[in-house]
């Protein structure tokens, strides 16, 4: 079968002929791949800056954001049946007996750091015609989410952060009075890519007043060329407004002035890949505020922040930074539920987050090009 693979030694990326997956254990499932989304991590792997193949393979099959249809299940599989749509999670447990997290089936909290991640680290990904996996790593998706289920993994990143936010905010004295969720609270989402916009939707449905705050002219348009005709406001601004959120371009308004105009910021959701600007924005977080990170900083070299001042302010204002590394299975389930909710609340909105679909034959070249627009998806099968 066809698969798209990166050869780190050769510095090559191409379509390969890979062996067909099979049921090797009673808990296994074979999945026919429908859609695979790609993101910044895939581009880093495709340019050989990160990513590692399985120990016995010269290449790594790409793809960690997938939606597929079950074609075959092992004799012990009950929860999932052929014909079901599923989304696979990404991280798999390490082998250490002493790693409590992995032994409890929670590699999202792996203690040894020797977990594998499908399509990223030590295990093949999903950008192939079929893959197999243990049923416990597959989350069922309702049929009505066929066209947008590929957004589950990026939304799960935001869901993980929001679930941890809710845990942390239970510390506030008024949480016990039944004031839960975001009602009346103000959230600023930093960035305007797929994770940012999905995170904004998740915050809006929880009652937060959301502002999407984005740097760079690219914040205004989903894609370059051929996507005009939306007037001067830009596609992302229009998208934000259709959610009932506000869109502010960082070049047009500083955070100080935004706060003067709209009030204290209770939550910041960073979804820029942790740019220096997004981290510096932390100083504008309000009292008792929470800063949520979904990006991984430090990949673009050193930068300067006034850490002394920043940390002093954080302690004085009773703030918390949360950087959940990896979504749990529960976050995937929350994402699937929320995708259904978003589809009902904003019909057609999720489909607009998918900027292009290409065939598997065209995927290799697309990985090498710079990102354009929102979520690019490889449509492996119909
Ligand atoms: Zn991704
Ligand atoms: Zn572990």
């Amino acid at each position: 079968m066809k698969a798209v693979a990166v050869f780190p030694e050769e510095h090559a990326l191409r379509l390969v002929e890979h062996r067909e997956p099979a049921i090797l254990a009673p808990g296994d499932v074979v999945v026919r791949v429908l859609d695979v989304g790609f993101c910044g991590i895939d581009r880093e792997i495709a340019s050989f800056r990160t990513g590692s193949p399985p120990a016995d393979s010269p290449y790594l099959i790409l793809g960690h954001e997938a939606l597929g249809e079950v074609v075959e299940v092992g004799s012990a599989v009950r929860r999932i049946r052929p014909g079901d749509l599923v989304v696979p999670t990404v991280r798999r447990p390490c082998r250490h007996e002493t790693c409590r997290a992995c032994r409890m089936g929670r590699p999202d909290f792996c203690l040894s750091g020797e977990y594998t991640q499908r399509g990223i680290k030590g295990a093949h990904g999903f950008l192939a015609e079929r893959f197999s996996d243990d049923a416990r790593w597959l989350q069922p998706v309702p049929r009505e989410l066929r066209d947008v289920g590929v957004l589950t993994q990026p939304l799960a990143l935001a869901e993980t952060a929001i679930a941890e936010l809710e845990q942390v905010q239970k510390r506030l004295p008024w949480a016990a009075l039944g004031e839960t969720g975001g009602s009346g609270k103000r959230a600023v989402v930093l960035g305007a890519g797929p994770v940012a916009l999905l995170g904004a939707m998740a915050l809006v449905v929880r009652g937060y007043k959301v502002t999407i705050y984005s740097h760079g002219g690219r914040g205004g348009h989903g894609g370059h060329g051929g996507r005009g005709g939306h007037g001067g406001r830009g596609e992302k601004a229009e998208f934000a407004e259709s959610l009932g959120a506000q869109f502010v371009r960082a070049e047009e308004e500083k955070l100080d002035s935004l706060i003067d105009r709209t009030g204290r910021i209770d939550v910041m959701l960073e979804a820029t890949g942790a740019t220096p600007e997004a981290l510096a924005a932390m100083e504008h977080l309000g009292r008792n505020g929470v800063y949520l990170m979904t990006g991984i900083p430090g990949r673009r070299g050193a930068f300067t922040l006034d850490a002394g001042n920043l940390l002093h302010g954080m302690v004085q204002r009773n703030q918390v930074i949360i950087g959940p590394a990896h979504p749990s299975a529960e976050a995937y389930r929350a994402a699937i539920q929320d995708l259904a909710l978003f589809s009902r609340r904003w019909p057609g909105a999720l489909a607009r987050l998918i900027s292009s679909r290409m065939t598997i034959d065209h995927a290799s070249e697309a990985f090498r090009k710079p990102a354009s627009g929102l979520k690019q998806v490889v449509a492996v099968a119909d």
Side-chain angles (χ1 to χ4, degrees), residues 242-325:
S242 74
L243 305 178
Q246 193 186 15
F247 185 93
V248 174
R249 235 180 286 284
E251 290 77 6
E252 287 168 12
E253 185 169 18
K254 295 278 162 247
L255 279 170
D256 303 3
S257 130
L258 178 73
I259 293 162
D260 287 345
R261 192 158 61 78
T262 63
R264 186 185 69 233
I265 301 171
D266 300 298
V267 177
M268 281 186 175
L269 175 72
E270 180 285 311
T272 61
T275 57
E277 292 87 352
L279 296 173
M282 221 181 269
E283 74 172 286
H284 299 287
L285 187 61
R287 288 189 185 279
N288 308 324
V290 180
Y291 187 92
L292 302 170
M293 300 180 75
T294 66
I296 304 172
R299 291 260 173 88
R300 52 178 72 69
F303 55 82
T304 307
L305 277 181
D306 184 351
N309 191 33
L310 208 57
L311 293 176
H312 178 84
M314 294 211 79
V315 175
Q316 288 286 328
R317 293 191 296 272
N318 197 27
Q319 294 165 337
V320 177
I321 306 177
I322 306 177

Side-chain angles (χ1 to χ4, degrees), residues 94 99 102 110-112:
C94 72
C99 178
C102 289
C110 177
L111 291 157
S112 72

Side-chain angles (χ1 to χ4, degrees), residues 1 3 72 114 128 151 153 188 254 274 292 305 340:
M1 65 166 186
E72 196 185 346
E114 290 174 30
L151 299 171
Q153 196 273 346
V188 169
K254 295 278 162 247
L292 302 170
L305 277 181

Side-chain angles (χ1 to χ4, degrees), residues 123-202:
H124 286 309
F126 310 117
L127 188 42
E129 290 179 284
R130 281 164 291 279
F131 69 88
S132 64
D133 213 336
D134 189 292
R136 68 185 167 138
W137 308 119
L138 302 174
Q139 294 299 330
V141 174
R143 188 49 69 170
E144 78 239 32
L145 297 179
R146 161 66 186 89
D147 293 336
V148 295
V150 69
L151 299 171
T152 301
Q153 196 273 346
L155 175 56
L157 298 173
E159 295 283 355
T160 309
I162 293 169
E164 296 204 359
L165 161 71
E166 286 171 350
Q167 292 262 332
V168 165
Q169 291 309 56
K170 284 194 185 131
R171 71 199 172 127
L172 297 175
W174 44 88
L177 304 176
E179 289 174 34
T180 52
S183 76
K185 297 192 194 78
R186 208 166 291 286
V188 169
V189 174
L190 302 164
V195 176
L197 298 178
L198 288 163
M201 294 168 105

